[in-house]
Amino acid sequence: MNSQIMNNAQLIPATVADHATVQNMARFYVYDMSRYCGFISDEWAIPADGLYESYDFKSYFEDPTRKAFLVKVDDELAGFVLLKTIGILPETEWHMGEFFILAKFQGKGIGGQVASQVWNMHPGIWEVLVIPENKSALAFWRKTIAGFTSGGFKEEIKTVDFDRDQPKRYIFSFDSTPNATTIGINPIIRKADISDVPAMVALSYEKRMAYEKAQPQFWRHADGAEEEQTVWFKVLMALEDHILFIAESDSNIAGFVIGKIVKAPGVYDPGGLTLVVDDFCVSSPALWQSVGSKLLNEIKQLTKAKGTTQILVVCGVHDEPKKRFLQHFGLNIASEWYVGDI
């Protein structure tokens, strides 16, 4: 019976016409939550008319940065899932806003199956928040996320600013990108060759698109940019003052770094040459500590033998995962650019 139910669980995109249906189910969602959170505040107390009330979830049907799904089993309603693209952590790409499975289908594996479907449909950096008092949800998410990521997740307790009565939240964060939990664990670092250029350009394109969202003018994507960059990367491979390294894992390119050895301007004397790193990408923010560290260590070691005494890495001011990695690596901010219209 359980196996049949699991095989028939479906995740269906919801429209604004489904708003009332979700709100009706949300009464039972609040009822379930009150079992664990009922003594935190009056917010979880049952109203005088005997009907639990829920927040209005209409924004999940109208805001383009949010998504709503119905859960069905054999065409019977079984719950709902609501997603955001903004979370507590700056690197978050997907936030589990609300997740509910009706009592009839709880304990049958439906929740874990639906959660995995959602994560596979939306690859990227995820976060899931849990109220500490909600012991059942805490156990569910810890087990489900551990199984999905093979243990490749982070769990921490943080303070949030949207809940005065209980500001603490367990936060589970992980990358749902295929192979993100295994790729980059033991990457091979090697010099890049011509055959690597398409993968390097593809990674650079993804970074450029993300940067364009943060600063639409300065980082605006140019027509023909990928073709021009393909030619440019091939040119750099032939220059003696440029070093290009690739991180490879299971035949996948997990990241790359391009460094250029330059002399400091005449008014500065760092005591030797400078290694400038502009193009530096990993295939997922979760790989900065593993892949990013190995790439930087490799290029530092090689260029040190050529007389470099300092390294300069370019990073977008909005790129929080990369900034945190660089600071953890021991680098400090030396300058910032300020951009505006003329």
Side-chain angles (χ1 to χ4, degrees), residues 243-319:
I243 302 96
L244 292 79
F245 278 117
I246 287 291
E248 186 176 36
S249 179
D250 297 329
S251 300
N252 293 301
I253 302 301
F256 73 89
V257 63
I258 300 177
K260 179 182 180 182
I261 299 175
V262 302
K263 292 181 179 180
V267 294
Y268 297 109
D269 184 10
L273 300 172
T274 296
L275 169 64
V276 177
V277 174
D278 191 351
D279 290 293
F280 183 24
C281 298
V282 292
S283 59
S284 164
L287 300 180
W288 276 119
Q289 293 297 338
S290 55
V291 174
S293 292
K294 290 193 174 185
L295 283 168
L296 274 196
N297 280 324
E298 193 75 18
I299 200 169
K300 279 180 62 179
Q301 183 178 349
L302 178 64
T303 56
K304 186 175 182 179
K306 296 177 180 289
T308 59
T309 58
Q310 70 175 353
I311 181 172
L312 185 160
V313 182
V314 178
C315 177
V317 69
H318 68 282
D319 196 339

Side-chain angles (χ1 to χ4, degrees), residues 16-220:
V16 69
D18 299 308
H19 170 235
T21 300
V22 169
Q23 288 301 137
N24 288 336
M25 283 192 287
R27 295 181 186 274
F28 301 103
Y29 177 44
V30 175
Y31 168 70
D32 270 12
M33 290 281 285
S34 71
R35 181 178 309 169
Y36 305 98
C37 307
F39 299 100
I40 295 177
S41 72
D42 292 339
E43 176 185 353
W44 303 100
I46 188 168
D49 62 4
L51 288 176
Y52 275 104
E53 294 290 344
S54 169
Y55 294 117
D56 189 348
F57 294 140
K58 195 166 189 180
S59 63
Y60 285 93
F61 301 88
E62 298 177 333
D63 186 338
T65 67
R66 300 186 177 201
K67 288 188 175 184
F69 296 90
L70 296 177
V71 177
K72 288 190 174 183
V73 174
D74 288 334
D75 291 327
E76 181 181 351
L77 280 173
F80 60 84
V81 180
L82 307 178
L83 309 181
K84 302 178 184 178
T85 55
I86 298 175
I88 301 299
L89 306 176
E91 66 268 29
T92 295
E93 296 174 279
W94 294 103
H95 170 95
M96 191 70 78
E98 310 291 344
F99 185 94
F100 177 56
I101 302 298
L102 287 163
K104 174 181 177 179
F105 300 100
Q106 292 177 15
K108 295 180 171 60
I110 297 294
Q113 184 194 20
V114 170
S116 295
Q117 286 184 40
V118 173
W119 295 330
N120 284 322
M121 289 169 61
H122 303 86
I125 306 299
W126 274 86
E127 70 175 32
V128 179
L129 274 60
V130 184
I131 296 176
E133 288 79 6
N134 196 344
K135 303 299 183 183
S136 177
L138 193 58
F140 167 77
W141 287 117
R142 189 176 283 137
K143 177 183 177 180
T144 305
I145 293 171
F148 181 83
T149 64
S150 300
F153 69 96
K154 183 178 181 181
E155 178 182 335
E156 55 190 325
I157 298 179
K158 285 187 173 292
T159 300
V160 298
D161 59 6
F162 56 79
D163 189 343
R164 207 179 313 170
D165 297 307
Q166 174 47 288
K168 300 294 184 182
R169 289 293 186 278
Y170 278 89
I171 300 182
F172 296 90
S173 55
F174 59 95
D175 192 340
S176 71
T177 305
N179 297 322
T181 57
T182 56
I183 190 171
I185 293 178
N186 292 300
I188 297 172
I189 307 300
R190 59 173 175 79
K191 285 191 174 181
D193 58 42
I194 297 297
S195 65
D196 298 314
V197 170
M200 294 168 65
V201 171
L203 284 181
S204 187
Y205 170 79
E206 293 298 326
K207 183 194 78 170
R208 193 156 44 243
M209 291 298 97
Y211 274 37
E212 183 182 47
K213 291 179 182 178
Q215 222 298 335
Q217 179 166 324
F218 185 80
W219 298 105
R220 183 177 298 148

